[in-house]
Every structure is written in structure tokens, then in C-alpha cells.
Amino acid sequence: MVAIWPVRIGCGIAGFADKEIAPLFIKAIDVQNIHLPESFWNELV
């Protein structure tokens, strides 16, 4: 199985906070091969 490691796209220079982007990945929480950034986990759980 291929591991997917999303990056904090939109956070930083683009000006969005993790709390604004993380909810876009809510369905990825239960997917075994998707490894979200720790900052997204902090916002989602």
C-alpha cells in the first residue's frame, strides 16, 4: 500500500491557519495509509 503524506498546503506564506485547512482532511482520519501532519491532528481531534 502506498503511504500518502499530505503537507500543510496553504499554511504559512499563503496565510491560512491549520484550523482553516485541517477540516478539509476530516475524512482522511480513518484512512490507514494517509498520514496527516501533527498540527492537523491537533485541530481535528
Side-chain angles (χ1 to χ4, degrees):
M1 184 180 312
V2 175
I4 300 171
W5 298 81
V7 295
R8 296 176 57 239
I9 221 131
C11 302
I13 295 174
F16 293 99
D18 290 329
K19 67 181 178 182
E20 295 172 284
I21 302 298
L24 301 174
F25 293 89
I26 192 76
K27 291 183 180 180
I29 288 177
D30 296 325
V31 181
Q32 264 186 342
N33 66 325
I34 298 179
H35 307 282
L36 297 174
E38 184 177 352
S39 58
F40 284 10
W41 277 105
N42 293 339
E43 295 297 332
L44 296 173
V45 294

